[in-house]
Amino acid sequence: MLGQGVHVALTPVLFLLLWQEAGPIEVPLDPTIQQKLKQPPTIIKQSVKDYIVDPRDNIIIECEAKGNPTPTFLWRKNGKFFNFGNDPRVTMQKHSGTLKIGFRPGERPEDYEGEYQCFASNDHGVAMSNKILLRVSKAPLWPKEILEPRVVTEGSPLILPCNPPPGLPPPQIFWMDSNMNPIPQNERVSMGQNGDLYFSNVHLQDAERDYSCNARFNFTHTIQQKNPFSLRVQTTEPYNDTSFNATDPYGGRRVAESRPSFLTPSGIQSSKMVLRDQELLLECIAAGLPTPSITWFKKGAELPAKKVKFENNNKVLRVLSVSEEDAGDYVCTANNNVGMIRHTISVDVKAAPYWLDKPTNLILAPDEGGRLVCRANGKPKPTIQWFVDGEPLEAKIREGSSNSVRHREMLGDTIIFRSVEIGSSAVYQCNASNQHGYLLANAFVSVLDLSPMMLGPKNQLIQVIENNRTFLDCPFFGSPLPEHRWFKNGQGSGLDGGHYRTYLNGSLEIKRTRREDEGTYTCVASNMLGKAENQVHLEVKEPTRIVQAPVHQSAVRGTTARFDCKVNSDPTLPVTVTWTKDDKPLDLRWRLKKDKDSLTISNINEGDAGTYTCMAKSAIDQDSVSARLTVLEDASLHPSLSSALPPGRPDPPMDLDLSDPAARSVRLTWIPGNDHNSPITGFLVQFEEDRWEPGRWQNLTSFSGDLNSVVLQLSPYVNYQFRVIAINSVGQSDPSQPSPRYKTSGAAPDAIPRGLRGWGTRNDNMEITWEPLQDLERNGPNLQYHVWWRRKDSGEQWDSGTTPSSNYVVQNTDTYVPYEIRIQASNEFGSGPESNVVIGYSGEDKPTEPPRQLQVSNVDSTKAQVKWKAVNMSSIRGEFKEYRLYYSRKSSLVPGLVVKEETKNKGFYTTADEPSGILTGLVPFSKYKMSMVVANNRFEGPPSNMVEFTTREGVPDAPKFFKINRRTLDTLYLEWDRPLEPNGILIGYKLEYQAVNSSRPSSPTILTIPHNVTKHTLRLPDRSTRYKLFLSALTQQGSGEVFAEESPHFSNEGEKTRKVVKSVPVMQQPPVTVADLNASTTYHLRVYSHELNSISSTWVIFKTKAAYIDQVDIATQGWFIGLMCAIALIILILLIVCFIKRSRGGKYPGAVWVATVRKVLVRDKKDLPLDPVDHKDQDGSFDYQNGSSVHDRDKNQNSSDEDNKPLQGSQTSLDGNVKESDDSLVDYGDGGDGQFNEDGSFIGQYTVKKDKDETEGNESSEATSPVNAIYSLA
């Protein structure tokens, strides 16, 4: 932290920083410098240009100036030297140029009327005042005249002229009768701006009084009265006093009605000129019976409601503070039930000169340069004339009498100075004048030579905190600008670099102050005229820090709380420790005890709750820490539960109070609610206002939990209401009750409208648009936007307009002209800051010139090169956007192919003299026509010559469709259609197919099909293999886009992946349907530009659903299940019969029966015919062993031969043997080996021999039969 000594010198430091950036020298207001500084004179006080004086008072013409040496004064009267020393009536005040002219009774002050000008001079130049036109106020008498009674017919109009005497200044006019009663004025009777009294129609009652015009002269405080007029009203019927009333002033008598006519102004049109910033008064007084009503409007625009006032029963239109936008035609309308009449007043707004850039004083050092700028505007545009020391500058340059002539150059409204010399100081005057007035400004150029001077205190002691950024200040002044350097302890070559940094204003920065930086620093400033130095003594101290800080705590009522506050500080700096509660000094009563490192509060009650702050403060820094004490009110009833209370959301703050009101701030104070065992960590302040969004609460700002009184920064012209939300570790409290409302006062806008731009909506206008200010940026009522515009780089005066909306249309502009635009917001309280200048453009018009010599070359199947001659850029009449090529496909060269002609366009942006471009996306083998126009942002120009060309033959598109109509085990029936765009003469189709699930890779097979064939039968080499098919059309240029298709899947094939890339042209807006995809296949999809492959989306991965194959699974069919159940039931019955016979001792040829049944079941299951010849296995399957005799076996031989033949459905093993079914009779017997008794049962064994290798390696490709399952269940 910086010490106090540093703060003392901050003000001159900032001052000198501004001075350095401003360019010319700014002289500090130091008394020593001011005494030494030689300065040309400056006029500081003068009388007004048009000076009217009271003849009864002495005349005082003011002229005061400052300078060093003190200026002397002289006067000119009517352009000649005024020797007031010879006139005893005229004296000049001491140390001033003010003239005092005294008069005695009977002397004529009119003798001193004229044009006066004051000149103040010293050794360095001459300054002059404005020309002061002195005139004596006059109150001439009214000429005596005898006025005859005015005779007028009832209902007719009447004008009573006033013709007041010309006074200086003009008198105020009012009408009274002889009894000094004012003449009442209304819609029928009113006084005009010229003082005349107008009657729209005369009533008989108007003759009951006389009428006298009065003139009040303000300077002389006198009133003069003209002889009164008397009226004699003629009527056609007698008048009855008793019949008069306000609704019928004619008492029931018939008075002829009349159409409106204007008493003033005359005719149907007139004109009026008014100066900028003055008031515009327009008047229309009409005659007629009934009395006409007056209305006003402006042609082509609305009357500005904030500037317009209607007076004298709408007969006078007053426009305040006239600007250029108020020029135009104003129409007044007089209307009654007989007719209507209009009068148009054309208002022309002129302007006396007003400043755009007023010249200012310029202080330069020898050999430096600078400039004086004098820019003024007006209507007509004022002329600029320069003077030097009161004499025309052009004459001085011609005479060459000035020493500084060779060091200056006059360029219109600017004088440029180069390498000025000592002794070339002078006062320059700029005069801007037109026929409506003039402006005069003095600006001196002072060439200053001054040896360096130190402006700060001598031998200053600065104490700073260690590790802080430190500035040692050394303000100085001199001309030429001195060089400065810093030294430490009188040694070294100058401090700059490392953790030191020097500034142009003389300051030395130590980026991080350390103990070793202590010492004496010397600042030296020097120029060609001498040098000066000053010393600063730096001491580095340890920071004051609270090392053991108080913490938030909750305490039970009646117990003791302790806040720690242990401080470490520099031993050479005394430190004081103070405690505050809720930002107020703490009253250390008997319950509160403060010692060196803590604060103890005993016997706590509810009043002790609050925020306690410990502040440790030394002479140069301080530190503070706050903690909140929460008193648990319920703990006295349940002291054992105090530590077990769960934390909760805090209660809302209470008793919101507003204090310390200011224009843009207010202090908000509240009482925090119970924190429910979780200290409050923050407060959120919200506001609601009832002007823009009533009822909506918005966040304003947030504060730490140890504050309950804060200053809120507010916006002007807002009626605020506040509420506070407390926050702890559990959450937010409910909002507090709202505070009382606080309304801030209005102010000028602070914000600049954003998004300013100008663009034309027609060829003769420019619409200026911007983003309106937000509601809280308005700062006051009646928000207006002031817009200025002028042609870029024209140097013209700024035109302006005012509007409450967010756009302004400038009419009658040239076509596509750049304009400089700026904007400013204002309200009833003033104007805000102006925006930076933005460049806008007026409207565009149709280009007038077509591109020439359009031609085509290098045409291939899909693209062509286009060339043309460029247009003249000035003929575009707007911003050049592009050359736009329109082209259409007239027809296809393919016989019989009809195409729809569709016009497309493509833009080419180029500014080359002989531009060219490539037209892509053409359809091959087609006839095209094209033409070209040049385009700006709104219009296209006339077309160029029409060009026709044909594209070459290309490869065809994919066939419209390609599908597999039907398939058998070894045949595919294919069908397709011709391509939508053959792109040439079709010569055939190329069909390519390749196995995709074969165990061995295979090469594709290619077939060529005639062009007039769209169906094909394809016999597959292998019925168990799936194939991928690719079909494309052929022209002489080759094969076209491929249409891919795939044969249906087989359930026992292994999946194999082949990458197929397919492009689908998209000619429509999304969404797009991609068809002809394969089922259960993974695809990678992206969308890309055909012309610019670099423009592409990311890849999207998706998988299509599994296909529905129209194959019947017989195992799931109802009839098959029913059949199997019936067979199983029969087998079960036969087995039961068999076992019954066995148990009775009967003999049953079991092997023959089982083999027969098995063969029938297998045949039914496979639904396949048996081979005509059965074959036996070599090892004698179904070998029955009989224990009685060989004869028995031979006896059964013939009956079993048929049954022992293998089935067609059996699989053959690798050694050629037939593989029998896995079914065995053992599964149906009781014993493990199938032995029967001697009584005729089975004497032997039913065996099924399986080769081991077949069992492990060659499983059947058929599905498991349901019969096997039935056997197992049996």
Side-chain angles (χ1 to χ4, degrees):
M1 179 177 291
L2 296 176
Q4 289 179 338
V6 179
H7 293 291
V8 174
L10 281 179
T11 300
V13 172
L14 296 177
F15 186 86
L16 291 175
L17 278 172
L18 293 175
W19 151 53
Q20 283 291 339
E21 294 183 0
I25 298 175
E26 184 71 24
V27 180
L29 299 176
D30 187 277
T32 305
I33 295 178
Q34 294 295 327
Q35 291 175 3
K36 293 185 177 181
L37 182 65
K38 304 300 181 183
Q39 183 173 317
T42 301
I43 301 292
I44 58 175
K45 189 175 183 181
Q46 56 184 318
S47 296
V48 296
K49 294 179 182 179
D50 193 3
Y51 189 26
I52 301 176
V53 297
D54 192 330
R56 298 170 297 177
D57 297 333
N58 293 329
I59 299 175
I60 296 177
I61 311 176
E62 291 183 319
C63 178
E64 296 182 10
K66 67 177 182 179
N68 189 12
T70 302
T72 59
F73 298 87
L74 61 85
W75 285 85
R76 292 181 183 175
K77 179 182 178 183
N78 298 327
K80 297 181 181 180
F81 174 70
F82 179 44
N83 188 5
F84 56 84
N86 297 331
D87 191 338
R89 301 186 187 89
V90 182
T91 59
M92 180 182 293
Q93 294 182 2
K94 189 177 182 180
H95 305 301
S96 170
T98 299
L99 296 180
K100 180 178 180 181
I101 307 175
F103 300 99
R104 295 177 181 178
E107 295 180 340
R108 286 175 47 84
E110 292 81 0
D111 295 340
Y112 291 90
E113 288 185 328
E115 189 178 67
Y116 291 80
Q117 191 168 23
C118 172
F119 294 83
S121 62
N122 64 13
D123 297 339
H124 304 290
V126 179
M128 62 183 185
S129 71
N130 292 323
K131 292 181 179 180
I132 303 168
L133 179 60
L134 177 66
R135 294 185 292 173
V136 178
S137 175
K138 298 176 177 61
L141 298 177
W142 223 303
K144 296 296 183 180
E145 56 182 341
I146 299 176
L147 300 177
E148 297 292 334
R150 301 292 296 270
V151 179
V152 61
T153 304
E154 185 179 18
S156 299
L158 175 65
I159 302 176
L160 297 181
C162 178
N163 298 325
L168 187 67
Q172 291 181 320
I173 306 299
F174 57 96
W175 286 80
M176 305 182 74
D177 59 15
S178 297
N179 296 324
M180 302 303 292
N181 295 318
I183 303 298
Q185 300 191 27
N186 48 42
E187 289 186 352
R188 185 178 64 88
V189 181
S190 60
M191 184 183 72
Q193 297 297 314
N194 60 355
D196 295 346
L197 189 64
Y198 294 87
F199 295 78
S200 295
N201 50 78
V202 175
H203 292 174
L204 191 61
Q205 294 82 6
D206 295 333
E208 296 177 357
R209 61 162 60 93
D210 56 8
Y211 301 87
S212 177
C213 182
N214 297 264
R216 179 189 292 117
F217 296 91
N218 292 330
F219 266 77
T220 59
H221 305 289
T222 59
I223 296 177
Q224 296 189 30
Q225 188 177 46
K226 185 175 182 177
N227 289 338
F229 290 95
S230 61
L231 299 183
R232 186 177 301 165
V233 180
Q234 297 178 345
T235 179
T236 58
E237 296 184 17
Y239 175 66
N240 186 357
D241 289 339
T242 61
S243 62
F244 173 78
N245 58 73
T247 59
D248 185 13
Y250 303 103
R253 292 173 287 108
R254 293 187 297 275
V255 178
E257 294 183 343
S258 60
R259 290 174 55 86
S261 61
F262 283 112
L263 300 177
T264 182
S266 60
I268 62 172
Q269 189 167 2
S270 60
S271 62
K272 188 176 182 65
M273 188 274 289
V274 64
L275 292 181
R276 184 178 186 267
D277 294 331
Q278 292 185 355
E279 287 189 351
L280 170 64
L281 291 176
L282 302 179
E283 182 180 47
C284 277
I285 301 177
L289 185 65
T291 302
S293 59
I294 304 296
T295 58
W296 294 85
F297 68 91
K298 184 180 180 182
K299 290 183 179 180
E302 296 289 334
L303 290 174
K306 303 304 179 183
K307 297 173 59 176
V308 168
K309 293 183 178 180
F310 297 99
E311 301 173 355
N312 199 6
N313 295 290
N314 271 20
K315 298 175 186 178
V316 174
L317 172 67
R318 183 186 298 270
V319 181
L320 306 177
S321 186
V322 172
S323 60
E324 286 80 356
E325 66 179 2
D326 295 320
D329 292 337
Y330 292 77
V331 180
C332 67
T333 301
N335 186 25
N336 64 11
N337 58 11
V338 181
M340 185 265 290
I341 189 173
R342 289 183 176 181
H343 182 90
T344 301
I345 306 175
S346 298
V347 176
D348 186 14
V349 178
K350 302 290 186 181
Y354 55 92
W355 290 118
L356 297 177
D357 201 345
K358 186 178 179 180
T360 57
N361 296 333
L362 188 63
I363 300 177
L364 302 174
D367 292 328
E368 288 185 345
R371 63 178 58 200
L372 292 178
V373 179
C374 176
R375 293 195 179 100
N377 202 359
K379 187 176 181 181
K381 190 172 181 65
T383 58
I384 303 296
Q385 185 179 10
W386 284 99
F387 296 82
V388 57
D389 294 335
E391 301 294 334
L393 181 59
E394 293 181 354
K396 286 280 189 178
I397 294 176
R398 288 194 300 269
E399 295 173 2
S401 58
S402 175
N403 294 331
S404 60
V405 169
R406 58 190 178 91
H407 299 289
R408 69 188 172 206
E409 180 182 3
M410 184 172 65
L411 299 174
D413 56 11
T414 303
I415 301 178
I416 300 176
F417 299 91
R418 299 184 181 90
S419 301
V420 296
E421 296 178 345
I422 297 175
S424 58
S425 300
V427 182
Y428 291 81
Q429 291 85 26
C430 173
N431 182 287
S433 61
N434 64 12
Q435 64 196 57
H436 304 295
Y438 76 94
L439 295 172
L440 179 67
N442 289 274
F444 65 72
V445 176
S446 178
V447 181
L448 182 62
D449 55 332
L450 191 66
S451 60
M453 300 177 59
M454 292 295 168
L455 304 181
K458 300 291 185 181
N459 299 319
Q460 186 179 11
L461 173 63
I462 296 180
Q463 295 177 328
V464 298
I465 297 301
E466 187 177 9
N467 294 325
N468 277 357
R469 185 183 181 191
T470 302
F471 285 91
L472 304 182
D473 300 325
C474 180
F476 62 90
F477 181 74
S479 181
L481 182 66
E483 296 181 358
H484 71 282
R485 302 178 70 185
W486 281 89
F487 301 90
K488 181 181 178 184
N489 297 328
Q491 301 176 358
S493 58
L495 301 177
D496 196 7
H499 76 304
Y500 294 106
R501 181 183 177 185
T502 60
Y503 290 86
L504 294 176
N505 66 340
S507 295
L508 175 67
E509 176 189 359
I510 305 175
K511 299 179 181 177
R512 188 173 181 181
T513 309
R514 301 166 298 188
R515 280 286 185 177
E516 53 267 29
D517 292 323
E518 285 188 330
T520 300
Y521 290 80
T522 303
C523 169
V524 179
S526 61
N527 64 11
M528 65 177 66
L529 302 177
K531 73 176 183 177
E533 64 180 44
N534 194 6
Q535 291 184 339
V536 179
H537 305 282
L538 179 65
E539 294 182 357
V540 181
K541 304 294 184 181
E542 294 181 8
T544 302
R545 292 290 179 265
I546 297 176
V547 295
Q548 186 175 352
V551 295
H552 300 294
Q553 57 182 289
S554 300
V556 178
R557 181 161 58 91
T559 61
T560 299
R562 172 190 171 94
F563 289 110
D564 294 322
C565 184
K566 187 174 181 180
V567 180
N568 281 351
S569 64
D570 192 284
T572 63
L573 294 176
V575 175
T576 58
V577 177
T578 58
W579 287 87
T580 61
K581 177 177 179 288
D582 298 331
D583 294 332
K584 297 179 181 178
L586 191 62
D587 185 10
L588 297 175
R589 300 184 299 273
W590 64 271
R591 293 188 304 104
L592 280 74
K593 181 180 178 182
K594 170 191 170 187
D595 55 24
K596 181 181 178 181
D597 297 329
S598 66
L599 174 70
T600 303
I601 308 173
S602 60
N603 194 19
I604 289 175
N605 57 42
E606 289 81 356
D608 295 324
T611 300
Y612 291 81
T613 302
C614 174
M615 177 178 290
K617 186 175 183 180
S618 71
I620 60 175
D621 72 335
Q622 65 181 27
D623 192 14
S624 64
V625 179
S626 298
R628 181 165 184 80
L629 174 63
T630 302
V631 178
L632 303 180
E633 299 178 0
D634 298 334
S636 60
L637 300 177
H638 306 282
S640 62
L641 300 179
S642 62
S643 61
L645 292 175
R649 295 191 306 127
D651 290 340
M654 303 173 292
D655 298 339
L656 271 65
D657 181 64
L658 299 177
S659 60
D660 302 339
R664 298 198 182 193
S665 66
V666 70
R667 177 174 290 276
L668 175 65
T669 305
W670 63 89
I671 298 176
N674 194 327
D675 63 4
H676 293 286
N677 286 342
S678 178
I680 295 175
T681 58
F683 292 99
L684 175 63
V685 179
Q686 297 181 326
F687 76 94
E688 181 266 345
E689 50 82 25
D690 60 0
R691 190 184 309 276
W692 313 115
E693 295 182 274
R696 176 172 175 258
W697 288 93
Q698 306 176 56
N699 293 340
L700 179 62
T701 185
S702 59
F703 299 94
S704 62
D706 57 353
L707 298 176
N708 71 327
S709 182
V710 295
V711 176
L712 304 178
Q713 301 300 321
L714 308 176
S715 298
Y717 198 64
V718 178
N719 193 16
Y720 283 98
Q721 185 173 251
F722 306 101
R723 69 182 187 186
V724 183
I725 298 174
I727 304 171
N728 65 8
S729 60
V730 180
Q732 295 185 352
S733 72
D734 293 332
S736 68
Q737 291 298 316
S739 71
R741 285 202 175 271
Y742 177 69
K743 185 175 182 180
T744 54
S745 57
D750 301 315
I752 299 174
R754 296 169 287 272
L756 179 64
R757 64 184 292 255
W759 54 285
T761 58
R762 298 201 315 264
N763 59 357
D764 61 347
N765 76 353
M766 177 179 64
E767 182 173 0
I768 303 173
T769 60
W770 57 89
E771 296 178 14
L773 296 186
Q774 298 179 3
D775 294 336
L776 294 181
E777 295 175 335
R778 291 172 170 260
N779 293 2
N782 300 326
L783 181 68
Q784 299 279 334
Y785 298 97
H786 304 289
V787 186
W788 291 271
W789 67 91
R790 68 177 179 187
R791 292 184 62 156
K792 185 175 181 291
D793 300 329
S794 66
E796 298 176 352
Q797 64 181 7
W798 289 88
D799 293 313
S800 63
T802 304
T803 178
S805 63
S806 60
N807 71 312
Y808 188 91
V809 180
V810 181
Q811 305 289 353
N812 301 323
T813 64
D814 292 336
T815 301
Y816 196 65
V817 174
Y819 281 84
E820 296 176 334
I821 308 170
R822 52 192 175 97
I823 193 172
Q824 176 189 51
S826 69
N827 55 28
E828 286 189 357
F829 298 97
S831 300
E834 293 185 11
S835 70
N836 295 327
V837 173
V838 173
I839 304 301
Y841 287 85
S842 57
E844 299 177 326
D845 204 346
K846 291 185 178 180
T848 59
E849 184 178 329
R852 296 171 286 111
Q853 301 181 21
L854 179 65
Q855 54 183 336
V856 180
S857 62
N858 301 330
V859 181
D860 60 15
S861 60
T862 59
K863 63 180 181 295
Q865 185 177 16
V866 185
K867 297 180 180 180
W868 67 94
K869 295 290 185 181
V871 302
N872 190 337
M873 287 298 171
S874 62
S875 69
I876 298 176
R877 302 171 75 184
E879 180 185 6
F880 171 64
K881 184 176 183 182
E882 62 185 5
Y883 289 101
R884 191 169 297 156
L885 182 69
Y886 286 95
Y887 63 98
S888 62
R889 183 187 182 194
K890 294 181 62 178
S891 61
S892 173
L893 300 181
V894 177
L897 181 61
V898 179
V899 299
K900 180 181 178 181
E901 184 173 350
E902 180 182 358
T903 302
K904 302 179 180 180
N905 68 79
K906 182 176 181 179
F908 299 94
Y909 181 87
T910 175
T911 56
D913 293 336
E914 295 187 0
S916 63
I918 301 297
L919 178 61
T920 59
L922 302 177
V923 179
F925 212 53
S926 299
K927 186 175 182 180
Y928 280 87
K929 66 177 180 179
M930 68 179 181
S931 64
M932 178 177 283
V933 297
V934 65
N936 55 34
N937 289 318
R938 294 190 64 223
F939 299 104
E940 295 179 349
S944 68
N945 56 298
M946 183 69 69
V947 175
E948 294 188 355
F949 65 96
T950 57
T951 54
R952 296 181 181 179
E953 190 175 24
V955 296
D957 289 353
K960 289 182 183 178
F961 67 87
F962 176 42
K963 62 183 180 180
I964 301 174
N965 274 342
R966 186 166 56 90
R967 70 157 294 172
T968 61
L969 289 176
D970 58 355
T971 305
L972 294 178
Y973 297 90
L974 309 178
E975 184 180 359
W976 62 90
D977 198 0
R978 292 169 56 87
L980 190 64
E981 287 290 351
N983 297 339
I985 304 299
L986 289 183
I987 60 174
Y989 296 92
K990 182 175 74 173
L991 177 63
E992 176 183 353
Y993 62 94
Q994 184 179 11
V996 295
N997 64 334
S998 176
S999 59
R1000 295 187 303 271
S1002 60
S1003 58
T1005 303
I1006 299 176
L1007 302 177
T1008 301
I1009 302 171
H1011 68 89
N1012 56 352
V1013 175
T1014 58
K1015 293 183 180 180
H1016 183 73
T1017 301
L1018 179 64
R1019 186 167 297 278
L1020 302 177
D1022 187 351
R1023 66 175 64 180
S1024 62
T1025 301
R1026 182 160 48 91
Y1027 289 89
K1028 189 77 173 183
L1029 298 92
F1030 307 92
L1031 180 68
S1032 60
L1034 296 173
T1035 65
Q1036 292 294 344
Q1037 300 299 318
S1039 61
E1041 188 176 347
V1042 174
F1043 203 130
E1045 189 57 78
E1046 191 170 319
S1047 62
H1049 290 228
F1050 293 94
S1051 60
N1052 63 336
E1053 67 183 49
E1055 290 292 335
K1056 299 187 182 296
T1057 301
R1058 176 179 176 182
K1059 183 177 180 182
V1060 179
V1061 179
K1062 184 175 181 180
S1063 297
V1064 180
V1066 178
M1067 300 298 181
Q1068 66 186 59
Q1069 295 294 323
V1072 176
T1073 300
V1074 181
D1076 302 326
L1077 302 180
N1078 294 326
S1080 190
T1081 305
T1082 300
Y1083 285 89
H1084 295 250
L1085 174 69
R1086 71 183 175 102
V1087 180
Y1088 68 95
S1089 170
H1090 178 68
E1091 298 181 1
L1092 300 173
N1093 290 333
S1094 61
I1095 301 177
S1096 171
S1097 69
T1098 57
W1099 287 99
V1100 177
I1101 301 176
F1102 67 94
K1103 185 175 182 180
T1104 53
K1105 295 181 180 179
Y1108 173 76
I1109 302 177
D1110 192 14
Q1111 294 181 355
V1112 177
D1113 187 356
I1114 192 173
T1116 62
Q1117 299 300 305
W1119 64 269
F1120 181 74
I1121 295 174
L1123 179 62
M1124 291 297 102
C1125 291
I1127 295 174
L1129 182 60
I1130 295 172
I1131 294 174
L1132 181 60
I1133 294 172
L1134 291 176
L1135 288 176
I1136 293 172
V1137 171
C1138 177
F1139 290 140
I1140 292 174
K1141 286 187 176 184
R1142 177 185 176 188
S1143 62
R1144 293 179 179 179
K1147 296 182 179 179
Y1148 179 75
V1152 176
W1153 174 80
V1154 170
T1156 303
V1157 172
R1158 178 180 178 275
K1159 184 175 295 186
V1160 171
L1161 291 177
V1162 171
R1163 180 179 302 151
D1164 192 358
K1165 170 189 171 187
K1166 295 299 295 181
D1167 197 18
L1168 295 173
L1170 297 175
D1171 290 340
V1173 180
D1174 292 334
H1175 301 281
K1176 291 185 178 180
D1177 196 10
Q1178 293 178 358
D1179 59 358
S1181 297
F1182 296 105
D1183 182 16
Y1184 301 95
Q1185 300 178 2
N1186 196 318
S1188 58
S1189 64
V1190 178
H1191 175 76
D1192 295 332
R1193 182 175 30 164
D1194 295 337
K1195 186 179 179 179
N1196 295 327
Q1197 181 90 23
N1198 296 330
S1199 64
S1200 62
D1201 286 343
E1202 182 69 20
D1203 297 334
N1204 289 337
K1205 294 181 181 180
L1207 299 177
Q1208 183 180 1
S1210 302
Q1211 293 185 357
T1212 304
S1213 64
L1214 295 175
D1215 58 359
N1217 296 327
V1218 176
K1219 180 181 178 182
E1220 291 289 339
S1221 172
D1222 292 341
D1223 299 331
S1224 174
L1225 194 60
V1226 177
D1227 296 334
Y1228 311 108
D1230 295 333
D1233 54 3
Q1235 298 283 339
F1236 292 140
N1237 295 329
E1238 291 284 344
D1239 59 0
S1241 306
F1242 282 122
I1243 308 172
Q1245 180 176 349
Y1246 171 49
T1247 63
V1248 178
K1249 294 185 178 181
K1250 295 182 180 180
D1251 187 77
K1252 181 178 181 180
D1253 295 335
E1254 292 178 5
T1255 304
E1256 296 177 354
N1258 296 303
E1259 296 181 358
S1260 174
S1261 62
E1262 297 176 358
T1264 303
S1265 172
V1267 178
N1268 295 334
I1270 296 173
Y1271 288 165
S1272 299
L1273 290 173

